[in-house]
Amino acid sequence: MRTLDYADGVITMIDQTALPEQETWLEIATVEDLVGAIKRLSVRGAPALGVAGAYGVVIAARAHSPVDEPDAFDTAINRIRSARPTAVNLGYAVDRVAPIARAHGLEAAEVEAHRIRDEELASSIAMGDNGADLIAELVGGDAVRAMTICNTGGLAAVERGTALAVVQTLHERGQLTEAIPLETRPLLQGGRLTTWELQRMGAPFRLIVDSAGPFLLSRDAADVVLIGADRIAANGDTANKIGSFSLALAAAHANVPFIVVAPESTIDMGTPSGEGIEIEDRGVAEVAGVRDFSWTPANIDTINPAFDVTPASLITAIVTDTRVVRVGEGEAL
Amino acid sequence: MRTLDYADGVITMIDQTALPEQETWLEIATVEDLVGAIKRLSVRGAPALGVAGAYGVVIAARAHSPVDEPDAFDTAINRIRSARPTAVNLGYAVDRVAPIARAHGLEAAEVEAHRIRDEELASSIAMGDNGADLIAELVGGDAVRAMTICNTGGLAAVERGTALAVVQTLHERGQLTEAIPLETRPLLQGGRLTTWELQRMGAPFRLIVDSAGPFLLSRDAADVVLIGADRIAANGDTANKIGSFSLALAAAHANVPFIVVAPESTIDMGTPSGEGIEIEDRGVAEVAGVRDFSWTPANIDTINPAFDVTPASLITAIVTDTRVVRVGEGEAL
């Protein structure tokens, strides 16, 4: 399922904030609406944000010709760029399409935006194939039980995704016994979104609370662990959703392959190791409850690291859209 | 704070189902009300259930003289006994007080019930002292940051508790820098109850989501991990709330002491090892949300182990009300 697309001046996207209770499709024809959707997290995930940004430039160019109204056009695309300042893909995609809009006009910009979308799709398909091939080799070709964390599917990446793309490919090949998604506190992307995607693809799955993952690995309940990545350092240390480290430790203890799935663009050769990755604390509200529902006493303190860092020594392999790097056997990025 | 007590025919207990939003004290003068409170989980935790059962016999004996109305008395105490059939302490306490009520009357039964309460308090104080002494020895006398899971405080044990009794003793001795409670999905006893108890005792703390625990241990954020126990096998393997195993693995990886705190009665020498402990699956509803609030799609499957088993090899020491057994140094129970 394609979760975000564009035709005739309109971006169509699923509203992720309403999932899984409601499947609402947004039709976005103005920069203002797009910026609102990005800020509200109706669209999230690095690849999806990139594609949204690319089509945003097209919408901006339709409203304000880059040639006739260059200032209005620049103002519009800067608003898109700054809707999520830390989203690298958003800025990258805007900066790739905007010069083409200025130099060659609207039609060329549309072609470039579609190209960015198609590159993301091809990347997801390649990651799915590379990951499923590796698992078949590691586990011996039998169907597998695959544990995963957070949401790394089509909702984050237009279609298919990263770690969940591998799950989908396994399912399509008849090699998936079941998926075991972690609910992924505090924001519950696993319980809310990954469950919804697995249902949509017809894949068998059983949801677990996060702290059950390591124990179930120790009891031989899964054959492989698949995670995405926010950033991969040059030595292979991987920043990803909080809870990934705990799974990696348990997978190593249980001798279960632990595989990171991410596009090449996630590898940051400028960061030597995980020690150089700063970890944001996302504050009290997320830990104190879910959405507007809080179950803790008032006025508490929390520690709320947004992600953790898994050392390369606990990673079996890093799978990208172009290669498989067997970190666990000493291969370097 | 004493969370359950008795005087003049009335059991007074805090209603745990209303915490932390409301501090409601129940006054219970009939067997019917007591059975309702036990079934509703207004009182929970093995020691607290034992004391509630002991006072329940007193209330039954006030309503129906064991001498003059033996059948009505027996019916009443059987109702108490079967309010939570798997709660060993409940049956134990009822069976200890009932014969005294029959043989020596109401006043003797009250004395015996108070004795059970006082034994629980003395046990908690002893566990707190033994645990705090051990930590001072292991960590060198400096104030410590203590990570803990679930609710193991006075709410589960009339007053002070087990692992949280050690935290309280450390705090009273000026040796607690902060407590780091895990929220403890699925039922959130850490986020709902332990936070409330820590606030009441004035101890500094920061709440975390469960999967942050192992990572924070790897980043030197805690000096000791303290957990309670549901059952301890003869070889030291410990069944406790789901998530305990994950903390034990991370504590071993980070070389942080991992300490189990439980009364002697938790040790089950009839079970040779953790492999003999059956793990109940508590079903879908708890994983699908909190109370009446669900965030997953409908019709999902889950794996929901109520507890996990930590192998003795990952445990530094088991602290009871009478001794410290250094499992990590090869000492046997």
Side-chain angles (χ1 to χ4, degrees), chain B residues 6-12 26-34 55-56 58-60 62-63:
Chain B
Y6 167 92
D8 304 325
V10 178
I11 299 172
T12 306
L26 305 177
E27 305 223 320
I28 289 171
T30 68
V31 168
E32 187 177 358
D33 285 355
L34 178 63
Y55 288 130
V58 174
I59 285 176
R62 289 174 72 104

Side-chain angles (χ1 to χ4, degrees), chain B residues 10-83:
Chain B
V10 178
I11 299 172
T12 306
M13 65 167 76
I14 197 159
D15 183 356
Q16 298 195 30
T17 63
L19 290 175
E21 292 85 354
Q22 291 180 316
E23 185 176 325
T24 308
W25 290 85
L26 305 177
E27 305 223 320
I28 289 171
T30 68
V31 168
E32 187 177 358
D33 285 355
L34 178 63
V35 168
I38 293 171
K39 288 194 171 174
R40 212 167 48 234
L41 304 186
S42 291
V43 55
R44 49 159 274 287
L49 282 169
V51 177
Y55 288 130
V57 175
V58 174
I59 285 176
R62 289 174 72 104
H64 305 285
S65 159
V67 177
D68 301 331
E69 303 176 69
D71 290 351
F73 175 74
D74 286 354
T75 301
I77 64 169
N78 283 332
R79 287 186 62 202
I80 298 168
R81 256 187 143 285
S82 59

Side-chain angles (χ1 to χ4, degrees), chain A residues 140-189:
Chain A
D142 293 336
V144 297
R145 301 158 301 171
M147 189 175 284
T148 189
I149 188 168
C150 201
N151 176 253
T152 58
L155 289 169
V158 187
E159 199 171 326
R160 301 186 77 90
T162 57
L164 205 61
V166 178
V167 173
Q168 185 169 354
T169 301
L170 288 168
H171 177 55
E172 289 164 356
R173 291 182 180 180
Q175 290 179 334
L176 181 73
T177 305
E178 69 172 346
I180 304 173
L182 273 67
E183 65 176 14
T184 319
R185 279 280 289 153
L187 291 181
L188 297 162
Q189 294 95 334

Side-chain angles (χ1 to χ4, degrees), chain A residues 204-333:
Chain A
F205 71 91
R206 289 188 288 173
L207 178 67
I208 61 175
V209 299
D210 302 322
S211 66
F215 177 61
L216 290 172
L217 285 170
S218 81
R219 289 289 174 112
D220 190 27
D223 305 297
V224 63
V225 180
L226 293 161
I227 71 163
D230 288 337
R231 186 152 34 140
I232 301 173
N235 73 339
D237 291 354
T238 294
N240 191 49
K241 183 64 53 188
I242 188 76
S244 302
F245 169 78
S246 175
L247 284 182
L249 204 55
H253 187 255
N255 204 23
V256 170
F258 185 89
I259 299 173
V260 175
V261 186
E264 284 288 328
S265 57
T266 310
I267 300 169
D268 176 9
M269 295 304 286
T271 299
S273 79
E275 285 176 30
I277 300 176
E278 198 191 337
I279 297 175
E280 170 199 5
D281 189 300
R282 293 178 52 90
V284 173
E286 292 176 358
V287 180
V290 171
R291 295 182 192 164
D292 295 333
F293 177 38
S294 172
W295 50 71
T296 65
N299 303 316
I300 60 161
D301 285 333
T302 57
I303 315 174
N304 184 14
F307 54 86
D308 61 26
V309 177
T310 298
S313 59
L314 297 176
I315 296 169
T316 308
I318 294 171
V319 171
T320 78
D321 43 327
T322 63
R323 56 185 171 148
V324 171
V325 183
R326 290 163 202 253
V327 179
E329 295 175 16
E331 285 183 19
L333 288 166

Side-chain angles (χ1 to χ4, degrees), chain B:
Chain B
M1 184 198 47
R2 195 163 293 183
T3 59
L4 187 152
D5 215 337
Y6 167 92
D8 304 325
V10 178
I11 299 172
T12 306
M13 65 167 76
I14 197 159
D15 183 356
Q16 298 195 30
T17 63
L19 290 175
E21 292 85 354
Q22 291 180 316
E23 185 176 325
T24 308
W25 290 85
L26 305 177
E27 305 223 320
I28 289 171
T30 68
V31 168
E32 187 177 358
D33 285 355
L34 178 63
V35 168
I38 293 171
K39 288 194 171 174
R40 212 167 48 234
L41 304 186
S42 291
V43 55
R44 49 159 274 287
L49 282 169
V51 177
Y55 288 130
V57 175
V58 174
I59 285 176
R62 289 174 72 104
H64 305 285
S65 159
V67 177
D68 301 331
E69 303 176 69
D71 290 351
F73 175 74
D74 286 354
T75 301
I77 64 169
N78 283 332
R79 287 186 62 202
I80 298 168
R81 256 187 143 285
S82 59
R84 283 284 295 278
T86 57
V88 176
N89 287 46
L90 184 59
Y92 162 82
V94 168
D95 292 347
R96 190 168 140 187
V97 181
I100 291 171
R102 289 193 195 95
H104 305 290
L106 182 63
E107 205 164 312
E110 281 188 2
V111 168
E112 187 67 12
H114 283 315
R115 189 173 290 141
I116 290 177
R117 177 201 65 192
D118 292 343
E119 287 170 5
E120 290 297 347
L121 297 186
S123 170
S124 282
I125 290 167
M127 284 185 275
D129 284 338
N130 292 344
D133 290 350
L134 174 66
I135 290 167
E137 184 196 317
L138 292 174
V139 184
D142 293 337
V144 297
R145 302 158 300 171
M147 190 175 284
T148 190
I149 187 168
C150 200
N151 176 254
T152 58
L155 290 170
V158 187
E159 198 171 328
R160 302 186 76 90
T162 58
L164 205 62
V166 178
V167 172
Q168 184 169 355
T169 302
L170 288 168
H171 177 55
E172 290 164 356
R173 291 183 180 179
Q175 290 179 335
L176 181 72
T177 305
E178 69 171 345
I180 304 173
L182 273 67
E183 65 176 13
T184 319
R185 279 280 289 153
L187 292 181
L188 297 162
Q189 293 95 334
R192 292 176 48 237
L193 305 178
T194 301
T195 49
W196 184 83
E197 290 205 51
L198 288 165
Q199 276 192 343
R200 292 278 305 211
M201 67 175 85
F205 70 91
R206 289 188 288 173
L207 179 67
I208 61 174
V209 298
D210 301 323
S211 65
F215 177 62
L216 290 171
L217 285 169
S218 81
R219 289 290 174 111
D220 190 28
D223 304 299
V224 64
V225 180
L226 293 161
I227 71 163
D230 288 337
R231 185 151 36 138
I232 301 172
N235 73 340
D237 291 353
T238 295
N240 191 50
K241 183 65 53 189
I242 189 74
S244 302
F245 168 78
S246 176
L247 285 183
L249 203 55
H253 187 255
N255 204 23
V256 170
F258 184 89
I259 299 172
V260 175
V261 186
E264 284 289 327
S265 57
T266 310
I267 300 168
D268 177 7
M269 295 304 286
T271 299
S273 78
E275 285 176 29
I277 300 176
E278 198 190 337
I279 296 175
E280 171 199 5
D281 189 300
R282 293 179 52 90
V284 173
E286 292 176 358
V287 180
V290 171
R291 295 182 191 164
D292 296 333
F293 177 37
S294 171
W295 49 72
T296 65
N299 303 317
I300 61 161
D301 284 332
T302 58
I303 315 173
N304 183 15
F307 54 86
D308 61 27
V309 177
T310 298
S313 59
L314 297 175
I315 296 169
T316 308
I318 295 172
V319 171
T320 78
D321 43 327
T322 63
R323 55 183 172 150
V324 171
V325 183
R326 291 163 201 253
V327 180
E329 295 175 15
E331 285 183 19
L333 288 165

